[in-house]
């Protein structure tokens, strides 16, 4: 078996085991393979092994890879999106854009989606810790942003995403993941948005994220190896 198929199998087994340990149904947790900085041939190995959900963080890279890979692939944008790339971003027909972090960006996406005649699925990125990732809204800004989102007819807000501060110890991310879930519960109750999706957890902390309620883990290194 090739290395990437083997890695995928190991990651899927980890997800399965993490679900068993906290009594969750493994079908509730999707695996997004983060293929950024990996070439098309490498990514194709994952697709051939049945991994159809791919995450990228740069539009330019997606534009190169999309024509080379099968139509069954679902692309997700997980990296910061600049307003001047919004037209291309909508054009890529991402299954979901995980990194929406301002009202300005949200309205720009809504306008462009309307012009291209599509409804774009999005997640709102929250910086729960106030440190770590420099992107993401403050928790207090979530409800106002959802009130704005309610006016965006060409966007579908599916949930929340976070990147906790980097730490050697995966357990250190636990409180941040829990904070995102609590914030979701509270915002869903207050606004009526179901916010079903919680995109959280990466290679080193996916088990902790699953325990705290992740519905999608974003895994790069443990599938494709380290990045240069
Ligand atoms: C690169 C990246 C990942 C994957 O991280 P790994 O540690 O390689 O699994 C997940 N989420 C985001 C937003 C990323 O940029």
């Amino acid at each position: 078996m090739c290395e990437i198929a083997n890695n995928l199998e190991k990651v899927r087994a980890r997800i399965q085991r993490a679900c068993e340990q906290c009594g969750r149904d493994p079908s509730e947790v999707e695996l997004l393979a983060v293929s950024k900085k990996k070439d098309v041939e490498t990514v194709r190995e994952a697709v051939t092994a049945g991994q159809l959900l791919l995450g990228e963080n740069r539009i330019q890279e997606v534009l190169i890879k999309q024509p080379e890979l099968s139509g069954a692939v679902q692309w997700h944008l997980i990296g910061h999106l600049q307003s001047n790339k919004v037209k291309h971003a909508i054009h890529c027909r991402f299954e979901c854009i995980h990194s929406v972090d301002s009202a300005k960006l949200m309205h720009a996406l809504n306008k462009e989606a309307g012009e291209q005649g599509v409804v774009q699925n999005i997640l709102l990125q929250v910086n729960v810790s106030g440190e770590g990732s420099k992107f993401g809204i403050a928790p207090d800004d979530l409800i106002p942003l959802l009130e704005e989102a309610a006016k965006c007819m060409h966007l579908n807000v599916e949930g929340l995403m976070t990147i906790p501060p980097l730490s050697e110890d995966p357990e250190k991310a636990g409180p941040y993941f829990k904070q995102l879930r609590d914030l979701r519960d509270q915002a869903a109750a207050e606004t009526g948005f179901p916010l079903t999706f919680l995109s959280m957890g990466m290679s080193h902390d996916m088990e902790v994220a699953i325990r705290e309620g992740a519905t999608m883990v974003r895994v790069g290194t443990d599938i494709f190896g380290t990045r240069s």
Side-chain angles (χ1 to χ4, degrees):
M1 198 194 295
C2 85
E3 192 189 338
I4 287 174
N6 196 29
N7 290 346
L8 267 169
E9 206 156 274
K10 282 189 206 149
V11 167
R12 290 188 187 125
R14 280 171 64 190
I15 293 171
Q16 177 96 22
R17 202 172 328 116
C19 285
E20 278 162 15
Q21 280 171 356
C22 62
R24 294 186 64 195
D25 181 342
S27 71
E28 289 173 17
V29 183
E30 290 188 289
L31 172 60
L32 185 67
V34 177
S35 48
K36 65 185 181 198
K37 295 192 177 170
K38 297 294 171 181
D39 61 30
V40 170
E41 290 323 306
T42 308
V43 182
R44 198 192 310 280
E45 286 181 35
V47 174
T48 304
Q51 178 60 39
L52 297 179
L53 274 61
L54 298 180
E56 288 281 345
N57 64 354
R58 290 174 65 243
I59 301 288
Q60 297 93 310
E61 234 179 291
V62 177
L63 291 172
I64 293 167
K65 288 176 186 173
Q66 267 187 337
E68 303 287 332
L69 291 158
S70 100
V73 171
Q74 272 189 19
W75 297 89
H76 291 242
L77 184 69
I78 60 173
H80 181 67
L81 177 59
Q82 291 167 308
S83 293
N84 63 358
K85 302 260 168 61
V86 158
K87 198 186 204 74
H88 277 128
I90 297 294
H91 204 80
C92 286
R93 298 292 187 263
F94 289 107
E95 171 62 25
C96 186
I97 298 176
H98 293 222
S99 46
V100 178
D101 62 356
S102 72
K104 179 171 170 257
L105 177 60
M106 200 174 66
H107 285 298
L109 285 166
N110 184 55
K111 182 160 176 280
E112 186 59 36
E115 277 166 21
Q116 294 188 30
V118 295
V119 173
Q120 177 65 59
N121 294 328
I122 63 166
L123 304 179
L124 302 178
Q125 181 174 352
V126 185
N127 186 354
V128 281
S129 65
E131 46 176 291
S133 162
K134 56 183 188 285
F135 299 117
I137 58 163
D140 284 348
D141 293 335
L142 178 59
I143 304 267
L145 194 57
L146 285 168
E147 284 164 358
E148 287 298 310
K151 302 176 204 156
C152 295
M153 303 317 290
H154 306 286
L155 299 180
N156 176 32
V157 185
E158 296 189 296
L160 307 180
M161 180 271 234
T162 199
I163 308 171
L166 209 58
S167 167
E168 288 282 300
D169 177 7
E171 285 298 335
K172 288 239 163 67
Y176 300 116
F177 294 146
K178 181 177 184 306
Q179 229 178 306
L180 192 73
R181 190 192 62 207
D182 290 346
L183 190 63
R184 185 276 307 275
D185 292 348
Q186 183 202 337
E190 268 183 54
T191 64
F193 279 97
L195 302 175
T196 318
F197 283 65
L198 289 178
S199 166
M200 55 192 200
M202 315 201 282
S203 289
H204 74 297
D205 57 13
M206 66 176 119
E207 284 89 352
V208 177
I210 289 169
R211 189 184 72 209
E212 300 299 346
T215 64
M216 182 171 282
V217 290
R218 309 178 306 264
V219 180
T221 308
D222 285 359
I223 296 172
F224 295 109
T226 51
R227 290 173 295 269
S228 53

